[in-house]
Amino acid sequence: MRRARRWLPGLLLVSPSIVAIGVFVYGLIFWNARVAVSGKHDEVTPPGFDGGKNFVDLWDQPSWPGAVRNALVFTAVFVAGALLLGAFLAFLMDKGVRAEASFRVVYLFPMAVSFIAAGVVWRWLLNPAPADRAVGLNQLFHDTGLGSLANTWWQHPDWGMAAMALPAIWQMSGYVMALYLAGFRGVPEELREAARVDGASEWKVYRYVVFPQLRPVTLSALIILGHISLKVFDLIMAIAGKQIITYVPAVAAYVEIFDRHDPANGATIATYLLLAVAVLVIPYLVWTIRSERAR
């Protein structure tokens, strides 16, 4: 009875959250998986069991391989761009610029803007209209004599998704900067001074002393950016809408469920997205738990 008095109040306090997560997260994941393995390809057919046939048949759809390719291109450009730009901004901050607090606010502010609002603005900036009707970045290039840099942005057949990653990089690089800046400030100054005494240049101090200390920061940023990029939906819908040239799995799931009224295919795509995110998140969680136990 005495032991129950110690843990029972805490359990009662968190029990509403446990119930809500169980129903609205894991319960809906189970329901989605159930629909994905059913033959419910319209709204009137009773659900059955197809043995996972939907997961194979999906690859026969002409638009699905392109959606996967677009997601991979977007992920590679977005993650690499946000990591490099965020680390560079943190490096500049760490070197001691004036009005550092103001710069931090400026760089972090885009993160407070929703992907929908950012997408509306970037749709204008990345407008692919020709020179006589150019607006946004293309107009800026023409007015400054850099017309050769004007291009079709997200409408380019090969690199459209790379251009689509620019708004996401702009929005999340400030967050990465904050992670790296906190990491830089956490590296003991004695380590840097010891390297400088040994004759290391400033570049080598960061290359061989500072950045190796920030591997957990890089891994955390990689996981966060990776799962955001795999689920990207609202940014693409705000800029390009449901166009095949910017088709990604999240948009494909929306089209299957709400346009084609095919719950099974939509749930199958959602399951693929869940598995892709799990591939990123679960190893990170295992690594985090093992690191905490090792301390």
Side-chain angles (χ1 to χ4, degrees):
M1 189 64 182
R2 184 175 298 175
R3 294 180 59 185
R5 287 179 179 174
R6 285 190 300 182
W7 57 262
L8 188 58
L11 178 62
L12 292 175
L13 184 64
V14 300
S15 57
S17 299
I18 294 175
V19 172
I21 292 174
V23 172
F24 295 107
V25 177
Y26 296 103
L28 292 181
I29 288 175
F30 171 77
W31 183 261
N32 180 80
R34 182 174 178 273
V35 175
V37 296
S38 72
K40 190 173 178 59
H41 291 287
D42 54 55
E43 295 173 342
V44 295
T45 303
F49 178 70
D50 71 349
K53 187 170 176 289
N54 293 329
F55 290 91
V56 178
D57 291 346
L58 187 63
W59 293 93
D60 294 331
Q61 289 192 6
S63 59
W64 176 246
V68 175
R69 173 191 171 278
N70 288 340
L72 293 177
V73 172
F74 180 89
T75 298
V77 177
F78 166 55
V79 173
L83 280 177
L84 292 175
L85 182 58
F88 178 68
L89 294 176
F91 170 76
L92 296 180
M93 293 288 182
D94 192 49
K95 300 308 292 181
V97 297
R98 288 187 175 180
E100 179 187 325
S102 300
F103 280 110
R104 284 205 305 264
V105 172
V106 170
Y107 293 144
L108 280 172
F109 178 75
M111 192 181 172
V113 181
S114 71
F115 272 133
I116 289 291
V120 171
V121 175
W122 278 90
R123 182 175 59 191
W124 178 80
L125 289 173
L126 301 180
N127 191 305
D132 56 332
R133 295 183 286 110
V135 296
L137 292 180
N138 281 352
Q139 183 183 26
L140 177 65
F141 290 147
H142 286 297
D143 292 346
T144 56
L146 301 173
S148 60
L149 296 178
N151 61 83
T152 54
W153 299 111
W154 55 269
Q155 288 192 354
H156 193 284
D158 296 325
W159 298 105
M161 289 309 296
M164 188 66 78
L166 293 178
I169 293 173
W170 168 79
Q171 194 154 11
M172 294 304 297
S173 58
Y175 174 69
V176 178
M177 177 212 69
L179 292 178
Y180 273 112
L181 185 59
F184 285 155
R185 300 287 164 80
V187 176
E189 188 61 26
E190 292 80 4
L191 292 178
R192 305 189 195 203
E193 288 299 326
R196 294 185 184 113
V197 170
D198 289 340
S201 63
E202 198 63 17
W203 159 248
K204 289 185 178 179
V205 169
Y206 277 88
R207 170 68 179 81
Y208 296 106
V209 177
V210 177
F211 275 108
Q213 303 287 325
L214 302 184
R215 285 172 184 161
V217 174
T218 303
L219 181 60
S220 300
L222 189 65
I223 299 299
I224 294 169
L225 296 176
H227 97 270
I228 290 175
S229 66
L230 290 173
K231 299 187 302 181
V232 63
F233 172 77
D234 40 6
L235 177 67
I236 290 177
M237 291 293 284
I239 294 179
K242 296 175 286 186
Q243 300 199 33
I244 194 66
I245 200 169
T246 57
Y247 219 54
V248 293
V251 175
Y254 178 91
V255 170
E256 291 291 339
I257 295 172
F258 296 104
D259 291 354
R260 297 174 182 168
H261 304 284
D262 190 332
N265 272 355
T268 302
I269 296 172
T271 304
Y272 270 127
L273 281 173
L274 177 66
L275 293 175
V277 173
V279 167
L280 283 175
V281 173
I282 291 178
Y284 172 71
L285 293 177
V286 172
W287 176 80
T288 302
I289 293 173
R290 289 181 176 176
S291 299
E292 291 179 352
R293 287 179 177 175
R295 291 176 182 172

